[in-house]
């Protein structure tokens, strides 16, 4: 099998069509990053954990774990670290949740950061 030259008409047409398809898919059918809640639920299913076992593994009470799973509240930094370590969830996904916590905190104080010495 020979490799076609870079100036081959068919190769150029294939490259252009491939680019158009990629652009169309990104515009009309974007694939979003999974939410932390979705990833926790998936990992819980994969590990065969129920909510009580999950809360024992992570540390918070079952009711607080329920709040995390329904999206009513975000996990604390400590719990987020445990989620990443014990459920083997990518830190980037957990980090997005932590960024939301920081944004909420900053909005609560109108963007002012107070440092006590």
């Amino acid at each position: 099998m020979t490799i076609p030259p870079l100036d081959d008409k068919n190769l150029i047409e294939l490259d252009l069509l491939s680019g158009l398809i990629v652009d169309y898919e990104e515009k009309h059918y974007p694939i979003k990053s999974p939410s932390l809640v979705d990833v926790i639920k998936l990992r819980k299913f994969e590990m065969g954990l129920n909510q009580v076992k999950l809360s024992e593994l992570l540390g918070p009470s079952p009711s607080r774990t329920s709040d995390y799973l329904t999206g009513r509240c975000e996990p604390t930094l400590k719990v987020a670290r445990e989620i990443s370590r014990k459920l083997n969830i990518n830190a980037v996904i957990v980090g997005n949740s932590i960024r939301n916590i920081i944004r909420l905190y900053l909005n609560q104080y109108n963007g002012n950061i107070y440092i006590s010495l």
Side-chain angles (χ1 to χ4, degrees), residues 8-73:
D8 182 40
K9 286 188 328 184
N10 292 328
L11 182 63
I12 294 170
E13 183 179 7
L14 178 63
D15 186 49
L16 288 172
L17 288 174
S18 298
L20 288 172
I21 291 169
V22 168
D23 292 343
Y24 180 85
E25 286 180 342
E26 287 176 353
K27 181 178 180 182
H28 297 285
Y29 301 100
I31 298 174
K32 299 177 184 174
S33 297
S35 71
L36 180 60
V37 172
D38 292 335
V39 176
I40 292 173
K41 287 179 180 179
L42 174 64
R43 191 67 81 215
K44 179 180 143 202
F45 173 77
E46 290 174 341
M47 296 173 73
L49 300 171
N50 60 27
Q51 194 166 312
V52 173
K53 295 288 185 189
L54 180 65
S55 66
E56 290 172 359
L57 180 67
L58 299 178
S61 67
S63 63
R64 180 57 68 181
T65 303
S66 174
D67 290 342
Y68 299 151
L69 292 174
T70 58
R72 281 189 291 249
C73 70

